């Protein structure tokens, strides 16, 4: 990456001046005003206090000793900003490295020796997955791809709560639907689940088991709890496959209780003076660890709160050997995250082990109206119906297009557009246009490959060509930032800008020209764009059509 090269050059010069710095400490950014160069660094302002020089004088000393071979200009502005204008040769070298590689991300190591477990969706198995679950499924899946590209050992996990009152309600509601399908006048519980999905399951069970379970008792309750769980998990897996999401592991909360891990956590917390008893309940000393207030772990009834098994679950993750555990949670879980960090801190886990990404809710808008949804009332748009109507590519793209912490209003009308107004088609079409160019060229084989030694990339001197090359160079950095900030939307923003630059270039210049040397160079530029777009779309889980 060019930015990395500038950091290297700056580091070498600062060492010559007696500073001992790591490249990672050097801030190098793109100025908002192009008059200040392609890149700029404020390092002189940060280091001036260590010298007798002013920040501007230090910046001038740094700039005058930098080799100018890779830059058309190195200048100093304002109180001490060092500005870099790239030379055409440095930009061309960047494209040449890309075309010489097997992947735009070749510079990332195959393994960095770290493992990360990413838990997401984790919807309770009491209803179909909705558009809200769909957003989290896509975000988690894209993050898993990003971390894999960075060289992490990645595992994905779905955790479902198969314990507690909600499962009892599911069992009694399903039994009522089963009984109704056999002609019995049975009302569903007042707080039961009203969606039609349980009617379908109830009819299936009635057909399979007849009237064997018409009497409600403990055995019947256990039967419908198990059957409800089994059928809902099956449906959840089927729905997730529609959007291209598969999990490495499926984890049941009940296994924590069966193995005694929940009780063990309470015992360890007591030993570490992390709890106290009040009003018959067991409390976590969360405030001591930075949480707003202490919180109940075990109710006065002896029933654990939601927090306790989740602490046990993450201790289980730690003991499985992961270096980091990332969990995606809904917008109403912020306080839970604070309490989780307090509990894990009391257990002695590293502070950076548990990381949470809070993602906001999704609403669907169509014809100017926003649809309200409720799982309990059976009023929601399912993941399945969304994907079947719009297709996997569109759904994945739109779900990842906004910052996870921001509310996502899913524009249904725009998503249904099969035109360049739809951003996913706009991006895919750039990839398709390049495939079309390659089909028309006798210099490129069916796989889009050609001999690099035939390319004179110095012919790429037009401003649009230079901008495309500079944008291609930034891709690895975008991937790194998107992973580290848990921000897949950076990929989409980058992809749309790259596609826009390519479409402008394509509309202004002919690639296949009578000037064979220029045409070959432009084919190389198109190949670079195709490589980056292909990698980006693969990370997003979106297809790369050859024709549209």
């Amino acid at each position: 990456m060019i930015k990395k090269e500038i950091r290297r050059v700056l580091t070498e010069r600062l060492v010559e001046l007696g500073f001992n710095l790591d490249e990672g400490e050097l801030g190098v950014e793109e100025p908002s005003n192009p008059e200040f160069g392609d890149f700029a660094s404020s390092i002189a302002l940060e280091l001036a206090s260590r010298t007798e020089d002013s920040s501007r004088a230090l910046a001038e000393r740094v700039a005058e000793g930098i080799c100018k071979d890779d830059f058309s200009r190195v200048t100093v502005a304002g109180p001490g900003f060092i500005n870099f204008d790239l030379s055409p040769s440095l930009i061309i070298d960047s494209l040449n490295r890309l075309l010489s590689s097997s992947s735009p991300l070749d510079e990332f190591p195959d393994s960095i020796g770290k493992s990360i477990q990413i838990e997401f969706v984790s919807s309770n198995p009491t209803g179909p997955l909705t558009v809200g679950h769909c957003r989290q499924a896509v975000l988690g899946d894209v993050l898993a791809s990003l971390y894999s590209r960075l060289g992490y050992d990645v595992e994905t996990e779905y955790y479902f709560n198969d314990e507690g009152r909600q499962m009892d309600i599911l069992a009694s509601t399903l039994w009522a639907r089963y009984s109704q399908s056999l002609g019995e006048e049975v009302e569903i519980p007042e707080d039961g689940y009203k969606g039609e999905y349980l009617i379908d399951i109830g009819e299936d069970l009635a057909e399979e088991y007849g009237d064997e379970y018409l009497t409600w008792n403990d055995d019947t309750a256990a039967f419908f709890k198990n059957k409800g769980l089994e059928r809902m998990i099956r449906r959840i897996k089927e729905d997730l496959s529609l959007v291209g999401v598969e999990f490495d592991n499926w984890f049941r909360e009940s296994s924590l209780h069966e193995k005694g891990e929940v009780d063990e956590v309470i015992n360890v917390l007591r030993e570490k003076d992390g709890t106290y008893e009040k009003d018959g309940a067991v409390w976590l000393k969360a405030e001591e660890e930075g949480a707003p207030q202490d919180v109940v772990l075990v109710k006065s009834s002896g029933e654990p709160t939601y927090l306790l098994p989740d602490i046990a679950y993450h201790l289980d993750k730690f003991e499985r050997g992961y270096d980091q555990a990332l969990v995606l949670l809904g917008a109403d879980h912020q306080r839970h995250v604070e309490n989780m960090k307090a509990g894990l801190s009391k257990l002695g886990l590293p502070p950076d082990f548990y990381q949470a990404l809070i993602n906001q809710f999704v609403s669907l808008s169509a014809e100017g109206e926003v649809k309200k949804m409720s799982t309990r009332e059976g009023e929601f748009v399912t993941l399945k119906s969304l994907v079947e109507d719009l297709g996997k590519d569109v759904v994945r793209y739109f779900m990842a297009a906004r910052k996870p912490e921001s509310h996502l209003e899913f524009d249904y009308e725009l998503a249904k557009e099969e035109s360049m107004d739809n951003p996913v088609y706009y991006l895919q079409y750039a990839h398709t246009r390049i495939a079309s160019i390659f089909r028309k060229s006798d210099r490129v084989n069916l796989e889009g490959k050609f001999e690099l030694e035939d390319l004179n990339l110095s012919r790429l001197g037009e401003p649009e060509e230079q901008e495309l090359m500079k944008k291609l160079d930034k891709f690895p950095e975008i991937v790194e930032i998107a992973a580290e900030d848990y921000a897949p939307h950076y990929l989409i923003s980058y992809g749309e800008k790259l596609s826009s630059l390519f479409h402008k270039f394509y509309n202004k210049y002919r690639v296949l020209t009578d000037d064979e040397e220029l045409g070959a160079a432009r084919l190389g530029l198109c190949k670079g764009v195709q490589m980056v777009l292909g990698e980006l779309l693969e990370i997003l889980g979106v297809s790369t059509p050859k024709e549209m």
Side-chain angles (χ1 to χ4, degrees), residues 169-212:
I169 295 173
L170 176 69
S172 58
T173 305
L174 182 55
W175 174 76
R177 294 305 193 190
Y178 156 84
S179 300
Q180 289 170 357
S181 69
L182 292 171
E184 299 293 320
E185 294 185 5
V186 177
E187 295 292 329
I188 68 171
E190 185 176 345
D191 55 356
Y193 297 95
K194 299 180 175 63
E196 291 190 6
Y197 57 96
L198 291 181
I199 296 176
D200 297 338
I201 298 175
E203 290 174 350
D204 290 344
L205 293 175
E207 183 176 345
E208 186 173 352
Y209 294 96
D211 60 3
E212 185 176 349

Side-chain angles (χ1 to χ4, degrees), residues 26 43 121 159 209 277 287 297 303 311 398 415 437 499 509:
L26 293 174
I43 189 64
V121 184
Y159 171 87
Y209 294 96
E277 294 190 16
E287 194 171 349
L297 290 173
E303 180 186 1
I311 293 174
F398 273 63
I437 293 170
S499 298
Y509 303 103

Side-chain angles (χ1 to χ4, degrees), residues 20 65 74 137 149 171 203 227 233 242 245 267 272 291 294 305 316 353 368 431 447 542:
N20 185 17
V74 180
R149 296 311 197 278
E203 290 174 350
K227 286 298 178 182
I233 292 173
L242 293 175
V245 176
N267 294 334
K272 293 178 177 291
D294 294 344
T305 63
D316 183 276
F353 173 73
H431 190 276
E447 288 76 38
V542 175

Side-chain angles (χ1 to χ4, degrees), residues 161 321 399 505 542:
N161 182 351
M399 287 297 176
F505 159 77
V542 175

Side-chain angles (χ1 to χ4, degrees), residues 229-346:
L229 180 65
E230 173 190 303
R231 299 298 176 95
M232 291 311 304
I233 292 173
R234 183 191 306 170
R235 289 193 174 199
I236 287 170
K237 289 183 177 181
E238 291 171 352
D239 288 354
L240 288 170
S241 69
L242 293 175
V243 78
V245 176
E246 295 184 1
F247 284 89
D248 298 314
N249 305 316
W250 292 76
F251 194 100
R252 297 192 182 200
E253 181 192 334
S254 58
S255 68
L256 297 169
H257 297 274
E258 291 165 3
K259 292 186 287 187
E261 293 184 37
V262 177
D263 292 336
E264 181 62 21
V265 163
I266 280 288
N267 294 334
V268 174
L269 286 171
R270 282 179 175 140
E271 291 171 2
K272 293 178 177 291
D273 192 30
T275 66
Y276 62 91
E277 294 190 16
K278 176 184 174 183
D279 300 327
V282 179
W283 294 69
L284 174 69
K285 293 180 179 179
E287 194 171 349
E288 293 181 353
E289 303 299 326
Q293 61 188 38
D294 294 344
V295 62
V296 174
L297 290 173
V298 181
K299 301 175 186 177
S300 57
S301 64
E303 180 186 1
T305 63
Y306 173 73
L307 177 63
L308 179 58
D310 208 25
I311 293 174
Y313 173 45
H314 283 82
L315 178 60
D316 183 276
K317 291 182 182 182
F318 182 73
E319 292 175 343
R320 280 187 264 165
Y322 300 114
D323 295 306
Q324 189 176 353
L326 171 63
V327 56
L328 277 65
L329 297 169
D332 53 346
H333 284 71
Q334 183 59 54
R335 182 59 57 84
H336 178 73
V337 172
E338 295 166 346
N339 294 332
M340 277 292 300
K341 289 184 176 180
L344 295 174
S345 178
K346 284 292 185 188

Side-chain angles (χ1 to χ4, degrees), residues 414 416-426 548:
L414 178 61
K416 286 183 72 69
E417 283 280 339
E418 295 186 11
S419 70
M420 295 279 274
D421 291 332
N422 187 331
V424 64
Y425 287 103
Y426 185 76
M548 291 181 71

